[in-house]
Amino acid sequence: MNKVKAADLKYGLSMEQLAQPRLELIFGKLYNNNDHYKFHPIDFKTNKYDMNDDNKYAVEYKRRRINFGDFPTLMINKSKIIKGREYRRRGMQVYYTWECNDDWYYWELNESEFSMGTGGTNKRGREEWVDVAHIKNEYIFKLSELKLI
C-alpha cells in the first residue's frame, strides 16, 4: 500500500470517530463496526451484535473533500451496497452519509435511486478504479433535514 493511501485510510478512521457524536444526534447510540472488524463495509449500527432484533439503523459515513454538487453523483463502494442490502433484509434502515466541505448529506438505500458503474481516484499516484454505486444528487439530502429520534 502506498503512503498516500495509508494516510487516507488513517484519516478516514479518525474522521469516523469525530463524526460519531454528530451522527448519534440523529440515529441514537451507534456502535462502530470497525472496532471489531477493521474496514467493515458499514461503519455504524444501533446494536453491536449483527443478529440482534433491536438494530434499527445502519449508517455508513464518508468524508469527501469536495463541495456537494461538484459532481453529478456521489459514490459508494459496491461492497457497502451489498452489506446494506443484507441489513435491509434484516429489517434495518440503511443510510449512507457524506461530510462534504460545505455540509453533511445523506441518502437512504433505495434500489431505484442508484446505478452501478466504476469510480475511483488518481490522487494517490496511480489509477484506483472499483465497482461503485452512483447516487444522483437529486436523491441526496442535507443530514440536518433527517429527523428520526
Side-chain angles (χ1 to χ4, degrees):
M1 179 181 320
N2 76 32
K3 291 179 185 179
V4 177
K5 184 169 184 172
D8 282 354
L9 291 172
K10 185 176 179 180
Y11 173 78
L13 289 173
S14 68
M15 293 307 294
E16 288 167 12
Q17 293 169 345
L18 293 172
Q20 187 170 350
R22 178 159 182 185
L23 293 171
E24 287 180 338
L25 294 174
I26 294 160
F27 298 99
K29 176 69 177 157
L30 294 171
Y31 294 88
N32 191 327
N33 284 324
N34 296 307
D35 289 345
H36 303 288
Y37 311 101
K38 192 171 185 178
F39 305 119
H40 190 282
I42 303 289
D43 294 322
F44 304 102
K45 60 184 184 292
T46 50
N47 189 295
K48 62 183 167 182
Y49 303 106
D50 270 351
M51 304 310 283
N52 199 310
D53 289 338
D54 65 350
N55 260 324
K56 288 179 69 173
Y57 306 117
V59 182
E60 170 63 6
Y61 165 83
K62 302 307 290 180
R63 174 64 175 102
R64 294 291 181 244
R65 293 174 252 197
I66 61 169
N67 288 323
F68 181 74
D70 283 352
F71 299 94
T73 67
L74 289 177
M75 298 182 290
I76 288 289
N77 191 292
K78 179 181 177 181
S79 66
K80 297 173 184 304
I81 296 293
I82 291 169
K83 189 58 147 179
R85 287 172 172 156
E86 179 185 321
Y87 283 157
R88 288 222 22 217
R89 284 191 297 275
R90 294 185 194 167
M92 297 171 71
Q93 290 175 264
V94 180
Y95 292 90
Y96 300 88
T97 63
W98 295 268
E99 180 184 354
C100 295
N101 291 338
D102 59 331
D103 211 337
W104 292 52
Y105 299 89
Y106 81 94
W107 171 69
E108 184 176 2
L109 179 58
N110 181 322
E111 293 293 329
S112 68
E113 294 180 349
F114 69 91
S115 61
M116 296 304 295
T118 57
T121 184
N122 59 8
K123 296 178 181 177
R124 297 178 181 146
R126 65 182 179 100
E127 299 285 326
E128 296 180 32
W129 299 101
V130 295
D131 293 330
V132 298
H134 289 275
I135 301 100
K136 290 183 180 178
N137 292 346
E138 65 191 80
Y139 301 121
I140 299 170
F141 304 97
K142 286 191 173 192
L143 189 60
S144 60
E145 298 172 1
L146 183 60
K147 307 293 183 215
L148 296 174
I149 59 172

